Amino acid sequence: MALPKKKLRSGFTTGTAAAAAVKGALCLLTENRAPKAVYIAFLSEGGVTIPLERVERLSKTKAICTVIKDAGDDPDITHRAEIGAEVELSMRASSAEGPVGLQIEGGEGVGTVTKPGLEIPPGAPAINPGPRRMIRAAVDDVLAGRRRAFKVRARIFVPRGEILARKTLNARLGIIGGISILGTTGIVRPMSHAAYTATIRSALSVAAASGSRTAVLTTGRRSERFAQAALPDLAAESFVQIGDYFRFAIEAAAVLRTRSVIIAVFFGKALKMAQGIPHTHAAKAALVLEQLAEWTQAATGDASLTLDIRDANTARQAFELLKDRAPFMFGTVARRIVRSAARFAKNPMAVRCILFDYDGRIACDSDASPREEQ
């Protein structure tokens, strides 16, 4: 008798934890009570009620709050880490700049960005745009509807952040002194390999059963959202999130005799797919950029650009270099993805690649990029 499969429990990101800590401290300052939990809305849909670990007033205008991060059944190095915020609330004389002015800072255990190529510029705390939006929403939720103008200073801290960061690639990326505060949606959805591949296969099967002749493969919710905007005539069932499972998804689509596949992807994953890497999580960034540098040298003959690509800190930085100096290279990458996918497919299948920039605009569409490598 087979045992019933355990349902994997979702968790929340460090960004969600930081937003909860800010909200808890702000509730104490505005309501003169220490809440036991706060509700935080995710950036995608829904939300979560998060228990607060510590809520304490430091002065009339300052309070501190901490949260224990829960990654659910897909724990990472920050699972059970303490994430906190020291919040200072003051009044402003004028509301001409809006009802609430918000300043977000990084404290103990939050890394500082020191190299270009990330979403946050050098010199700023490594608190990504998603968490910043969540913190803003949490602050607005507490202060909305009040007649006076406020200024809020929120300093995010992680007591063991510097120690935890040693187990990450932060230093290689130029994030020094602590961890990054991350999260694109706010929720951590745990998936084992078997569960994820089963989900991909099921989604492709649903797409085929619904009559869709085209499957749009994206690596996550953000790329899916941009793909849906770029391809508005396709049904919702056509869009399938494949995570890092590039080869598996192509093979599964071919087995189901999907007539055509559109791979919609950002540059970092695109580079790995272009090199035919079956599971894109496993590839080492330095080797990926080394290969891109070789392609750039062969296509442009520009030794200076090749060296800059080879020395780039991230795929995002390499993207910006190419955008300014050799944008036709995006077509090279897109066509190589098409060829990699064709090698993985067991049955004939039309493959197209749409490459997005980091703002969701189409940087290249292989169907509109006929130039071939020499």
Side-chain angles (χ1 to χ4, degrees):
M1 179 179 175
L3 294 175
K5 292 184 178 179
K6 176 186 175 184
K7 183 178 179 180
L8 297 177
R9 186 173 60 89
S10 296
F12 54 86
T13 63
T14 51
T16 303
V22 170
K23 190 171 185 178
L26 200 55
C27 284
L28 176 59
L29 290 173
T30 57
E31 301 171 12
N32 202 29
R33 65 174 183 85
K36 294 183 178 180
V38 294
Y39 179 82
I40 297 296
F42 293 136
L43 291 173
S44 51
E45 56 190 28
V48 62
T49 298
I50 298 178
L52 304 180
E53 180 74 4
R54 172 189 172 200
V55 188
E56 179 183 339
R57 183 184 286 273
L58 301 179
S59 69
K60 185 177 179 180
T61 60
K62 287 184 182 180
I64 195 168
C65 178
T66 65
V67 167
I68 301 301
K69 192 237 176 159
D70 182 357
D73 287 329
D74 191 26
D76 56 21
I77 61 101
T78 60
H79 181 57
R80 305 304 298 169
E82 185 178 27
I83 312 290
E86 180 185 290
V87 176
E88 181 177 8
L89 178 66
S90 58
M91 304 296 179
R92 292 192 299 168
S94 170
S95 60
E97 299 176 0
V100 181
L102 175 61
Q103 179 179 345
I104 300 174
E105 302 174 355
E108 174 194 3
V110 174
T112 299
V113 177
T114 65
K115 295 181 180 180
L118 301 175
E119 292 184 279
I120 302 298
I127 304 172
N128 278 12
R132 289 173 184 268
R133 291 197 298 273
M134 296 185 79
I135 292 170
R136 161 59 73 178
V139 169
D140 288 344
D141 190 37
V142 175
L143 298 178
R146 296 175 183 262
R147 295 182 178 180
R148 302 195 64 176
F150 296 93
K151 179 180 179 181
V152 176
R153 183 182 65 84
R155 183 176 62 86
I156 310 303
F157 63 90
V158 183
R160 296 184 65 252
E162 190 165 2
I163 296 172
L164 293 173
R166 296 172 190 165
K167 302 177 183 180
T168 72
L169 296 175
N170 276 9
R172 186 181 300 176
L173 296 175
I175 299 173
I176 305 299
I179 68 167
S180 305
I181 304 299
L182 301 172
T184 55
T185 63
I187 188 172
V188 175
R189 298 188 186 277
M191 282 282 191
S192 67
H193 287 276
Y196 210 129
T197 54
T199 300
I200 293 170
R201 188 185 293 110
S202 296
L204 288 167
S205 180
V206 168
S210 69
S212 176
R213 298 181 176 184
T214 298
V216 183
L217 309 184
T218 67
T219 56
R221 178 61 190 129
R222 190 162 174 246
S223 55
E224 182 181 72
R225 190 168 67 247
F226 291 138
Q228 288 170 330
L231 302 163
D233 294 335
L234 293 181
E237 293 84 1
S238 300
F239 296 84
V240 179
Q241 294 184 33
I242 67 170
D244 293 306
Y245 295 88
F246 177 38
R247 179 173 182 169
F248 174 85
I250 294 296
E251 290 178 342
V255 167
L256 289 167
R257 299 193 179 278
T258 303
R259 186 164 297 184
S260 69
V261 162
I262 300 173
I263 301 166
V265 66
F266 294 109
F267 198 57
K269 297 289 187 187
L271 288 178
K272 298 173 185 180
M273 292 178 176
Q275 293 177 44
I277 296 170
H279 189 268
T280 56
H281 179 72
K284 294 186 181 298
L287 297 179
V288 170
L289 291 175
E290 177 67 29
Q291 182 63 74
L292 177 62
E294 291 182 13
W295 293 341
T296 302
Q297 176 62 32
T300 69
D302 187 334
S304 175
L305 176 58
T306 299
L307 182 61
D308 287 344
I309 294 293
R310 185 172 285 118
D311 291 342
N313 185 41
T314 62
R316 186 188 185 106
Q317 185 180 5
F319 179 92
E320 296 298 330
L321 290 167
L322 292 175
K323 183 178 72 174
D324 292 338
R325 297 159 67 180
F328 67 86
M329 285 298 300
F330 299 145
T332 297
V333 172
R335 289 189 300 276
R336 286 183 177 273
I337 290 174
V338 170
R339 290 204 289 271
S340 293
R343 286 195 298 270
F344 291 147
K346 298 293 190 294
N347 299 318
M349 183 171 60
V351 181
R352 173 184 174 190
C353 176
I354 295 177
L355 179 61
F356 293 114
D357 71 13
Y358 290 90
D359 293 318
R361 294 182 292 264
I362 295 177
C364 178
D365 184 338
S366 63
D367 274 10
S369 180
R371 180 181 180 272
E372 296 295 333
E373 280 82 25
Q374 301 299 315

